[in-house]
Amino acid sequence: MAHRFLVKDIAFQAGLSIATVDRVLNGRDGVRKQTEVRVHAAIRELEKQQAGIEIQGRKFSIDVIMEAPDRFTDAVRTAFESENATFLPTVFRCRFHLAEAIRPQEIVQFLDRIRLRGTDGIVLKAPDVPDISAAVARAEQAGIPVVTLVTDLPNAPRTAYAGADNRAAGETAAYLIGERFAGQKATVLVTLSSSRFRGEEEREIGFRRTLRERYPSIAIVEISEGLGRDAATGALAAEALSANPAINAVYSIGGGNRAVLAAFAAAGLSCAIFVAHDLDAANLDLLKSRQIHYVLHHDLKTDVRAAFRAIMGRRNALSIPGMPSLSAVEVITPYNIPAQAG
């Protein structure tokens, strides 16, 4: 296999041993097809990072660990690739560890393996559970900066949080829905991907508190643990609508929006207002077709930029280091879709 990268660099990118990569590159027997795919993917990723980046500058190798639906991790990967170019001549080589569902213990194992292998920084989107916080503490004690992305781990000694003010986002959703019903009774279906994520919990807290204080006539029905997947989230939504046919609004914190809309259609119910999060490709289509009414959006590129700067600050690569500020939450309608999203 023709390539221009060191075997150790390919191994680092693929998360495999040097010996395994060497076997793949030399076409030796005893290698699983999945392993070959990982090596090929690693080489393509290195080629993408190298393309147009011949300027010599400081290089950082970082690891990005995320548990999230593919539609969201695709958007995050794109943001990392886009922002990497804006930091030239500094170059970030990003190795992605992405999964739609992963057990907390597996994330702990990822973090510990990365700590022992070494890295310039870790960007992490993970559940707020004690074992993960402890693994973050071990990485930080080893001198590895950990930046939480989108959802925080406030009990862990992480270097920084890069993301939006999630509680303010939930309060904004409550305002949009509350004003829509103007004192009339309504029931909102609140969907979470999982109660383990602090960011989603913060959104829900802000939402519930604002409804309780300003719009007490609006009731809430909550579903959780669909992990943002359409099949699981749709089944939970269908069950909730069957038990509570008065539901006539949605605040989607955790995604799976097409499936939630399908559940309304199957139940013969209408949704007066649907507020979602993140302007990914699926939500963009739903917004343009007027199937959802508002998307609470924050710029992932701003979050990635903040993560890069936090890692550079810990590595003494910034003349004026500073902690990242929270990214702004925008209310997106069919009439103010950002140009880059359209």
Side-chain angles (χ1 to χ4, degrees):
M1 181 190 303
H3 62 87
R4 52 178 172 159
F5 305 106
L6 296 176
V7 174
K8 67 177 183 179
D9 290 336
I10 300 171
F12 178 88
Q13 189 70 31
L16 299 168
S17 70
I18 291 175
T20 298
V21 172
D22 184 71
R23 285 200 299 274
V24 174
L25 295 177
N26 290 285
R28 298 194 181 98
D29 295 333
V31 179
R32 293 183 300 170
K33 183 64 177 178
Q34 183 180 8
T35 302
E36 292 182 10
V37 170
R38 286 177 64 179
V39 171
H40 285 285
I43 292 174
R44 287 196 301 272
E45 187 69 34
L46 290 171
E47 289 172 344
K48 189 184 300 182
Q49 294 171 8
Q50 191 67 24
I53 304 179
E54 301 301 332
I55 301 173
Q56 290 299 314
R58 188 160 179 184
K59 296 182 180 180
F60 296 95
S61 295
I62 69 173
D63 290 84
V64 183
I65 305 173
M66 294 187 64
E67 179 185 355
D70 289 342
R71 59 181 173 271
F72 186 74
T73 56
D74 287 347
V76 170
R77 183 191 284 267
T78 299
F80 270 92
E81 292 171 350
S82 173
E83 285 307 298
N84 202 350
T86 70
F87 276 75
L88 291 173
T90 300
V91 176
F92 285 87
R93 176 185 292 173
C94 305
R95 185 166 70 168
F96 294 95
H97 314 271
L98 311 175
E100 285 202 314
I102 182 171
R103 293 178 302 159
Q105 193 53 42
E106 292 178 283
I107 296 176
V108 169
Q109 291 170 359
F110 265 133
L111 289 167
D112 285 337
R113 283 203 301 267
I114 290 167
R115 170 175 55 84
L116 295 172
R117 178 249 293 157
T119 185
D120 290 314
I122 296 171
V123 179
L124 177 65
K125 179 186 180 297
D128 181 20
V129 298
D131 286 349
I132 291 177
S133 293
V136 168
R138 291 192 291 273
E140 288 279 351
Q141 288 167 2
I144 297 172
V146 179
V147 180
T148 52
L149 183 72
V150 180
T151 182
D152 200 8
L153 301 175
N155 298 316
R158 80 290 188 274
T159 289
Y161 164 66
D165 184 336
N166 285 304
R167 192 164 296 202
E171 293 166 347
T172 302
Y175 173 79
L176 293 171
I177 292 173
E179 292 298 309
R180 165 63 178 80
F181 291 110
Q184 300 175 15
K185 288 187 176 182
T187 303
V188 184
L189 179 66
V190 176
T191 74
L192 290 85
S193 69
S194 175
S195 59
R196 299 174 301 151
F197 289 104
R198 178 56 69 98
E200 294 194 8
E201 181 184 31
E202 290 291 327
R203 292 172 183 177
E204 184 195 18
I205 289 172
F207 184 75
R208 284 183 178 274
R209 183 178 66 187
T210 302
L211 286 189
R212 184 172 60 250
E213 294 176 354
R214 297 181 59 89
Y215 310 102
S217 62
I218 297 178
I220 292 175
V221 174
E222 178 187 313
I223 61 173
S224 184
E225 308 312 315
L227 301 180
R229 300 186 199 174
D230 282 346
T233 303
L236 290 169
E239 183 179 346
L241 291 170
S242 175
N244 303 273
I247 293 173
N248 58 348
V250 174
Y251 175 34
S252 173
I253 296 174
N257 298 328
R258 289 191 187 279
V260 174
L261 289 165
F264 269 88
L269 299 174
S270 61
C271 180
I273 180 170
F274 195 123
V275 180
H277 273 275
D278 303 317
L279 201 59
D280 55 32
N283 282 343
L284 182 60
D285 288 343
L286 294 172
L287 186 65
K288 287 180 174 180
S289 61
R290 309 298 200 270
Q291 295 182 73
I292 61 178
H293 302 89
Y294 301 101
V295 173
L296 301 180
H297 175 64
H298 69 281
D299 186 10
L300 286 171
K301 293 180 182 180
T302 300
D303 300 339
V304 171
R305 209 155 44 236
F308 283 168
R309 289 185 63 84
I311 291 170
M312 291 174 70
R314 279 287 303 276
R315 295 299 181 187
N316 299 316
L318 287 179
S319 56
I320 307 177
M323 297 301 292
S325 57
L326 298 175
S327 53
V329 175
E330 301 176 80
V331 179
I332 306 298
T333 75
Y335 299 99
N336 69 331
I337 295 171
Q340 61 270 28

